[in-house]
Amino acid sequence: MKKKVLAALLTTAMVSSVLVGCGSQPASAPAGDDTAAEAPAADDTAAEAPAASGDVIKVGIINNDPNESGYRTANDKSMKEMFTAANGYEASFAYSLKNDEQISAAQKFIQDGVDYLLLSAADTAGWDSVLKDAQDAGIKVILFDRTIDAPDSLYEASIVSDMAKEGETAVTWLKGQNLEEYNIIHIQGVMGSAAQKGRSGALDAQVAAEANWNLVTQQTAEWNAEKAQQIVQSVIDAGTSFNVIYAENDDMAKGAVAALDKANISHGVGKDVIVMGYDCNKWALEELLAGNWNYDGQCNPFQASYIDDIIKKLEAGETLSEKVIIMDEKGFDATTITQEDVDTYGI
Amino acid sequence: MKNKEKKSGIGGLMRGLVRKQIFIPIAALVILTIFNYIMDPTFFKITLSPNSLGYNVLSGSIITILDNGSELAILAIGMTLVTAASGGQDISVGATIAIAGSVILRILCGGQTSPDTLQAPVIVAFLVACVAGMLAGAFNGALVAYFRIQPMIATLILFTAGRSIGAWINNNTLPVVKDPSFAVYGGFIPGIAVPTPFLITVACIIIITLVLKFTTLGLYTQSVGINEESSRLNGLNPAFIKFLTFVILGLCVAVAALIKVSRISSINYSVIAKDIEMDAILAVALGGNKLSGGKFNMAASIIGAYVIQFLTTTLYALKVDANALPAYKAVVVIALVVLSAPSVTEKISALGKKMKPKAKEVA
């Protein structure tokens, strides 16, 4: 019996320590260093609010979990840097990858009486009624990164990436390489995701249109580096020749390159295989700078400055000229990229 | 392996063969082999050619399968023990790989995003990851063994939280190890032509074989799985044995995590080892092991793991349409699992009995 009690005690200790681990996790998860500095800052604003009332703009920001991807981490970081007390904002953040949790967070923000609701929705459906509540409460809604299926009267603006345009930019670049023949390994993201559809669409159209553009293989690696490695490995094992790797994100391009290295196939500027990636991770841009990769397409996570502009305009009583704002997105070529680009655009 | 029968005649031999647990995974391997040979005779070509570092290494589809199936085979070892003892499965292995992998990178990078040199020896990082993996296993094991929570529910906690914990360990950054010496664990040791992950797997298999042969671990896990109460009455401590199997699985997870993060010298918390828990459970099932616990056959589970990798590689080699890939895999898996179900193997052997009425009956 004694042993049992001891075991029970030990496990309770273990469980509670892990639960504490979980509990503290969301608090410390968002962007490490910033959190400590950010939390007191928010308190300050609350304290000063009565004195400087009216100046502070209260925003409620609903985002996806920053752990989701490097893109999301950079996105969350830029939001945190923009919406600070120093810039005249009082920001509250809510994170979830689940739509229902996001909706209840939105309801809470409405009750708290925020001035602006900034939303990157996990799912496109189900937002009508809560956004109507927001509108009735006089809260202005701005969508970022993701669109929703709701009448556009329910929100002020939507700041999004045009994935199809990202694909076109990349394919236009590839066309500009003037290869005699394009034998492409196309590694896709999770099928049906907006990024996959947009980035695949442009390439599919080009392959269908041109006789010297061939797809050696077209497979989904589900954004996963190891799967991409296996796909490229299987092409190499089959002895099929290819000269372009078109991966729909950096991770998958990295996996593909690992397979090339194993088989001693040269890649990069002026080499046998052209390597293309997306998302502009810092390490990926460094690969470009070193000439190991050829192209990286940007998916701009820095919506914060666009949102700031819009809020300033709305506060000044101006009307917005357009509802859907498509962000500028670049494509980097290994032959022209500079260290400055890596520092500015790397996420 | 244990149910050896006196065999007489071809019918008896067939029956004995079909009855053997290891038959189904081996049969699946043979079928896949023949299928691939028909589709592409060069599938089995193995060549020795230099890699980008200038060392001669083996390459070919078979090598790719042995290489990429490593993590799954290692996990199958632990999963078989957990299944045998607890009669349930651990669905958190993918998420704990994210934790252990994150620990390895955290220590190697010393908190920086991409340092130019390793901040600590790989062995230190690996040992700490082993501790982390075993702690996660101990957490799962404690819930299952002492709190008597269903294994799938108990491990659901880390399944849900594990990837976030992994991200938290590295402050949400995605560290990249630049030092090429770290890539040997998922690639090749300079001068050795066989992929390192396969060597690591062989080492794990040798260790578990020795452990099962020279300790009572195998016997005890099976007896706890078959009848917990009577093993307790015979002086075993069922709770501790269940707990122990989860800790061993945690160790397997740490080894798999080392290979996984070394393959790409980086980590992506949300997709690393995604869905590998399902493949690991499937490997155990394909090995003909009862998922409700009890007797197990370790070799069959490990071969089951390679069957799954064989199938994946085959589908890539066939260039199956990306949208249809899961459907093909599902069909093959259903067929294999149904064939390896004990009731079906009994039917098949009964059929063999009828087909060969002259063979002497052995009860």
Side-chain angles (χ1 to χ4, degrees):
Chain A
M1 271 317 277
K2 265 186 187 171
K3 262 190 180 171
K4 263 190 183 167
V5 173
L6 187 68
L9 274 177
L10 273 176
T11 40
T12 324
M14 228 181 288
V15 173
S16 55
S17 68
V18 169
L19 285 182
V20 168
C22 296
S24 66
Q25 194 258 325
S28 47
D33 311 354
D34 296 26
T35 333
E38 207 260 330
D43 287 349
D44 288 353
T45 346
E48 284 167 21
S53 66
D55 290 334
V56 172
I57 300 167
K58 280 174 86 175
V59 291
I61 300 170
I62 299 172
N63 206 339
N64 293 283
D65 187 341
N67 298 339
E68 180 204 51
S69 57
Y71 170 89
R72 192 63 58 188
T73 313
N75 172 264
D76 181 53
K77 205 170 160 217
S78 91
M79 298 296 262
K80 284 222 160 77
E81 281 164 3
M82 174 56 72
F83 297 103
T84 59
N87 289 341
Y89 291 104
E90 185 193 333
S92 318
F93 295 86
Y95 303 98
S96 177
L97 289 171
K98 293 196 182 105
N99 219 34
D100 52 333
E101 287 177 15
Q102 286 195 335
I103 289 175
S104 53
Q107 280 158 346
K108 190 182 159 288
F109 284 146
I110 293 169
Q111 280 166 15
D112 291 349
V114 296
D115 301 316
Y116 290 89
L117 192 64
L118 314 183
L119 171 67
S120 175
D123 200 348
T124 53
W127 286 95
D128 298 60
S129 71
V130 70
L131 293 191
K132 209 157 184 59
D133 289 349
Q135 201 170 39
D136 294 344
I139 296 166
K140 297 192 172 84
V141 177
I142 299 170
L143 308 180
F144 64 96
D145 170 36
R146 301 209 180 159
T147 53
I148 54 173
D149 291 334
D152 63 0
S153 59
L154 289 175
Y155 51 85
E156 302 298 323
S158 135
I159 300 147
V160 289
S161 296
D162 187 342
M163 303 288 184
K165 205 171 138 207
E166 286 175 19
E168 278 158 26
T169 313
V171 170
T172 311
W173 175 88
L174 186 54
K175 215 155 117 187
Q177 301 306 301
N178 292 321
L179 303 181
E180 268 178 34
E181 206 176 8
Y182 290 85
N183 292 314
I184 305 164
I185 296 183
H186 182 191
I187 305 169
Q188 299 169 293
V190 169
M191 300 303 283
S193 62
Q196 181 271 322
K197 282 198 249 173
R199 293 167 188 179
S200 292
L203 184 65
D204 282 344
Q206 181 68 17
V207 169
E210 301 278 341
N212 62 343
W213 287 55
N214 311 307
L215 288 179
V216 173
T217 191
Q218 185 177 41
Q219 280 289 347
T220 174
E222 297 169 341
W223 311 127
N224 191 329
E226 308 140 46
K227 280 194 184 164
Q229 189 180 1
Q230 289 192 30
I231 291 167
V232 176
Q233 188 73 53
S234 79
V235 176
I236 295 171
D237 288 342
T240 321
S241 67
F242 55 92
N243 57 2
V244 178
I245 287 185
Y246 182 95
E248 289 176 3
N249 81 351
D250 287 337
D251 277 351
M252 298 192 295
K254 190 176 169 79
V257 165
L260 296 182
D261 283 340
K262 233 180 217 181
N264 198 20
I265 296 171
S266 69
H267 51 84
V269 180
K271 301 283 176 58
D272 293 347
V273 175
I274 290 176
V275 178
M276 302 173 72
Y278 277 100
D279 286 353
C280 288
N281 284 290
K282 199 163 213 154
W283 52 263
L285 294 183
E286 281 166 358
E287 293 282 356
L288 252 68
L289 200 60
N292 296 330
W293 294 16
N294 301 69
Y295 175 91
D296 206 45
Q298 193 190 16
C299 187
N300 195 341
F302 306 117
Q303 292 103 345
S305 59
Y306 289 85
I307 299 173
D308 182 51
D309 277 354
I310 290 171
I311 291 180
K312 293 235 163 81
K313 274 186 189 161
L314 289 172
E315 287 293 305
E318 292 175 37
T319 48
L320 300 172
S321 50
E322 51 192 346
K323 209 143 216 173
V324 178
I325 297 159
I326 291 167
M327 293 187 296
D328 292 335
E329 290 182 322
K330 297 170 181 294
F332 293 100
D333 184 324
T335 53
T336 55
I337 193 169
T338 61
Q339 183 64 44
E340 204 189 330
D341 290 333
V342 177
D343 295 335
T344 320
Y345 297 103
I347 61 173
Chain B
M1 293 293 274
K2 298 275 162 65
N3 47 359
K4 278 184 182 162
E5 290 172 34
K6 284 179 197 163
K7 295 167 208 111
S8 53
I10 303 167
L13 194 72
M14 273 294 290
R15 229 169 336 119
L17 208 62
V18 172
R19 278 252 173 127
K20 272 194 184 162
Q21 211 186 329
I22 208 162
F23 172 74
I24 291 295
I26 286 184
L29 269 185
V30 171
I31 293 169
L32 280 171
T33 308
I34 294 170
F35 180 75
N36 273 300
Y37 188 76
I38 294 168
M39 296 307 284
D40 177 15
T42 63
F43 191 83
F44 298 99
K45 208 175 91 184
I46 294 176
T47 53
L48 192 66
S49 54
N51 65 1
S52 62
L53 295 172
Y55 298 105
N56 277 321
V57 296
L58 292 172
S59 62
S61 295
I62 294 295
I63 301 296
T64 306
I65 292 166
L66 291 177
D67 182 0
N68 289 319
S70 304
E71 294 96 319
L72 198 53
I74 293 168
L75 289 178
I77 294 173
M79 192 66 84
T80 307
L81 292 175
V82 163
T83 303
S86 72
Q89 288 74 37
D90 183 341
I91 58 167
S92 72
V93 289
T96 36
I97 282 180
I99 297 178
S102 188
V103 166
I104 291 175
L105 290 179
R106 168 84 202 202
I107 290 169
L108 289 182
C109 295
Q112 303 169 42
T113 314
S114 57
D116 291 324
T117 53
L118 296 181
Q119 304 293 304
V122 176
I123 184 74
V124 174
F126 174 60
L127 289 178
V128 178
C130 286
V131 173
M134 284 158 80
L135 273 179
F139 171 69
N140 287 332
L143 288 181
V144 171
Y146 300 109
F147 289 85
R148 301 188 163 275
I149 300 173
Q150 274 280 320
M152 207 166 271
I153 304 303
T155 54
L156 189 62
I157 299 172
L158 277 179
F159 172 79
T160 318
R163 293 178 188 278
S164 294
I165 295 173
W168 168 69
I169 289 170
N170 268 309
N171 273 335
N172 259 8
T173 55
L174 301 171
V176 179
V177 180
K178 284 183 182 163
D179 195 323
S181 68
F182 180 59
V184 301
Y185 304 94
F188 292 90
I189 299 171
I192 294 178
V194 181
T196 322
F198 181 62
L199 296 178
I200 297 175
T201 313
V202 170
C204 290
I205 292 173
I206 291 172
I207 292 170
I208 195 67
T209 313
L210 292 178
V211 166
L212 290 179
K213 199 168 170 65
F214 292 108
T215 71
T216 49
L217 180 77
L219 180 67
Y220 285 5
T221 43
Q222 301 193 47
S223 53
V224 167
I226 291 167
N227 191 330
E228 196 177 332
E229 188 54 25
S230 63
S231 10
R232 195 185 63 76
L233 291 174
N234 279 295
L236 298 184
N237 182 348
F240 178 71
I241 286 166
K242 282 188 197 172
F243 179 80
L244 191 65
T245 58
F246 276 92
V247 175
I248 293 173
L249 177 56
L251 194 59
C252 295
V253 162
V255 178
L258 175 71
I259 298 174
K260 274 263 186 273
V261 291
S262 170
R263 279 191 199 282
I264 50 165
S265 297
S266 182
I267 193 167
N268 184 327
Y269 311 105
S270 55
V271 297
I272 185 173
K274 195 160 182 278
D275 299 336
I276 204 169
E277 52 276 343
M278 294 306 149
D279 280 348
I281 295 169
L282 187 60
V284 176
L286 279 183
N289 297 298
K290 271 190 195 156
L291 291 184
S292 53
K295 281 195 162 181
F296 69 83
N297 185 333
M298 187 60 78
S301 289
I302 294 169
I303 295 173
Y306 283 112
V307 168
I308 295 169
Q309 186 59 45
F310 207 134
L311 179 60
T312 310
T313 305
T314 303
L315 290 175
Y316 283 144
L318 290 178
K319 299 188 175 62
V320 173
D321 183 49
N323 286 308
L325 197 79
Y328 279 92
K329 208 171 172 179
V331 169
V332 179
V333 164
I334 291 169
L336 286 175
V337 171
V338 168
L339 276 178
S340 63
S343 58
V344 176
T345 45
E346 256 157 46
K347 283 260 168 64
I348 294 174
S349 63
L351 203 69
K353 220 183 272 180
K354 273 182 200 161
M355 302 255 288
K356 304 267 176 195
K358 280 176 192 169
K360 278 180 193 168
E361 297 299 307
V362 183

